């Protein structure tokens, strides 16, 4: 069964299970260090985790900015992000921040990742990278440098990874977003997985480069030389060049999190391949805001259908040691069981590109499973294969006002927050019209949006004339060119 916990008038809805498929073998990763940047708005980065590089061209490359430790240039935005804020207070003058874990935390081998929304424009140079702890003694490039993500404003669709070491060792690799998309338009997840023989580079879970220990200058397996982490937003410099008249200020580099994992022998949760489906229909079609089901083994330690946090007024993103990540973004949890999790896909998830879904149980990650989202993925909840529909007195008669309970209808005119039930007033209709046909006959839709007090959708309609009520009929909901087919009771 596929239980789904909703609120208020709706109770426990069920549908058939998805077919189980085995998961591939994988490295188990355990979270060992992170900063989720959940501090109050205006507060600086945690001084127990971060310190600063300071000054004008403090670090080479003929950059133009002055790095400061002022809260104005590096602060929490109160929405779960660190904001590295870049200003241009007068012509030719730029202020920004460069924060680092040097002297506070360093890592040797593992998975190092961050979810970022970068600034844009000619002359901008955001980066997420690492340097060897021995830089003060050995200098650069002998210490080694791992560039997990760099971007320059003149190539807005390209993320650069890189490795730099002595003896002329210099490798720069590229990842290009498809269809002319720009990195600055959305959050993206950037990562490396680092072991003594190789370093692999990822964007949004997509492996795009593997560099191996096969040349002089590879200093990424020197014993007892861990690397510290750096985040910065530079302005100008030898590579990007200076800003010009098209460059807008201020600019912001938003950091959702930085996480470090170590490989462990302890097996983590195991997700079935293809085991992430629409919680209403069991189909593979999903959209931002959809309620989805994950299938696998060892996903949770016990059944827990009470993940709603009454103090926060939202479904929890961390319950009983379980978290679900969509491209690294934590997702609201609706229902937990060892072989099934129901969760809500975050509203800001990317469209039309492969995203990685992972489950973390007690700090150990599952294997990733890819999904691709559309703007809408309409479906309806069903019982025994037939749609759940309510009408006055339970009568399906022409002219009756009836209700379907649905999923994946897309954005609402009153935008919803992750895991927060819809307000009773005003009613948040979808931003696009919904159509409903039953047995090929169009029904008049009177409301299509998030159900008040619920995390599911609701479609109200007038039951059309000419539809037989004695036998099951095929029906379709269509929104923005995407459709969901179902069986009418």
């Amino acid at each position: 069964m596929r239980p789904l916990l909703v609120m208020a008038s709706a109770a426990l809805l069920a549908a058939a299970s998805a077919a189980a498929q085995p998961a591939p073998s994988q490295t188990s990763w355990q979270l060992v260090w992170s900063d989720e940047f959940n501090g109050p708005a205006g507060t600086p980065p945690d001084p127990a985790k971060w310190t600063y590089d300071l000054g004008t061209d403090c670090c080479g490359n003929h950059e133009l900015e002055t790095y400061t430790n002022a809260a104005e240039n590096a602060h929490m935005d109160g929405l779960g992000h660190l904001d590295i804020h870049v200003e241009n207070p007068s012509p030719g003058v730029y202020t920004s921040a460069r924060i680092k874990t040097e002297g506070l935390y360093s890592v040797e081998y593992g998975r190092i990742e961050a979810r970022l929304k970068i600034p844009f424009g000619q002359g901008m140079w955001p980066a997420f990278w690492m340097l060897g702890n021995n830089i003060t003694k050995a200098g650069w490039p002998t210490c080694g440098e791992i560039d997990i993500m760099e971007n320059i404003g003149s190539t807005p669709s390209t993320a650069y990874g890189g490795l730099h070491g002595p003896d002329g060792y210099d490798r720069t690799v590229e990842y290009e977003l498809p269809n002319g998309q720009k990195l600055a338009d959305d959050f993206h997840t950037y990562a490396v997985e680092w072991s003594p023989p190789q370093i692999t580079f990822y964007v949004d879970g997509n492996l795009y480069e593997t560099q191996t220990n096969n040349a002089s200058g590879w200093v990424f397996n020197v014993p007892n030389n861990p690397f510290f982490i750096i985040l910065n937003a530079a302005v100008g410099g030898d590579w990007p060049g200076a800003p010009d008249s098209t460059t807008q200020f201020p600019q912001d580099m938003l950091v959702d999190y930085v996480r470090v994992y170590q490989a462990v022998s302890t097996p983590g949760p195991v997700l079935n391949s293809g085991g992430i489906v629409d919680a209403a229909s069991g189909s593979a079609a999903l959209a931002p805001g959809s309620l989805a089901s994950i299938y696998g083994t060892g996903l949770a330690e016990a059944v827990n259908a009470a993940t709603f946090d009454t103090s926060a007024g939202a479904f929890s993103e961390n319950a009983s040691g379980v978290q679900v990540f969509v491209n690294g973004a934590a997702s609201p949890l609706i229902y937990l069981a060892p072989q099934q999790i129901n969760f809500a896909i975050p509203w800001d998830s990317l469209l039309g590109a492969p995203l990685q879904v992972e489950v973390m149980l007690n700090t150990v990650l599952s294997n990733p499973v890819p999904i691709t989202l559309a703007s809408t993925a309409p479906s309806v909840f069903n019982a025994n294969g037939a749609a759940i529909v309510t009408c006055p007195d339970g009568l399906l008669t022409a002219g009756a006002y009836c209700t379907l309970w649905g999923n994946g209808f897309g954005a609402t005119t009153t935008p919803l927050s992750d895991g927060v039930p819809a307000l009773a007033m005003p009613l948040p209709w979808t931003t696009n019209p919904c159509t409903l046909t039953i047995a090929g006959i169009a029904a008049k839709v009177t409301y299509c949006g998030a159900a008040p007090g619920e995390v599911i959708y609701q479609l109200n309609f007038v039951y059309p004339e000419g539809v037989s009520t004695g036998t099951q009929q095929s029906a379709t909901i269509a929104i923005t060119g995407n459709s969901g087919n179902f069986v009418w009771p």
Side-chain angles (χ1 to χ4, degrees), residues 390 401-405 409 427 429 436 443-449 452 458-463:
T390 56
Y401 283 85
C402 302
T403 297
L404 284 168
W405 300 97
F409 289 5
L427 297 179
W429 293 64
L436 170 65
K444 179 183 178 182
V445 175
T446 61
Y447 175 78
C448 181
Q458 177 180 326
L459 187 145
N460 297 349
F461 63 100
V462 179
Y463 196 84

Side-chain angles (χ1 to χ4, degrees), residues 18-32:
Q21 300 178 34
S25 61
Q26 55 135 5
T27 298
S28 287
W29 295 108
Q30 183 170 34
L31 184 69
V32 295

Side-chain angles (χ1 to χ4, degrees), residues 138-145 163-171 213-222:
W140 185 92
T142 302
C143 66
E145 175 179 331
L163 300 175
H164 307 284
D167 302 329
Y169 189 88
D170 189 358
R171 304 287 190 274
N213 179 7
N214 60 4
S216 174
W218 180 276
V219 293
F220 309 105
N221 61 343
V222 176

Side-chain angles (χ1 to χ4, degrees), residues 28-32 105 107-111 260-264:
S28 287
W29 295 108
Q30 183 170 34
L31 184 69
V32 295
Y105 179 76
V107 56
E108 188 168 26
Y109 312 135
R111 169 172 158 178
V260 178
Y261 300 86
Q262 293 290 327
V264 293

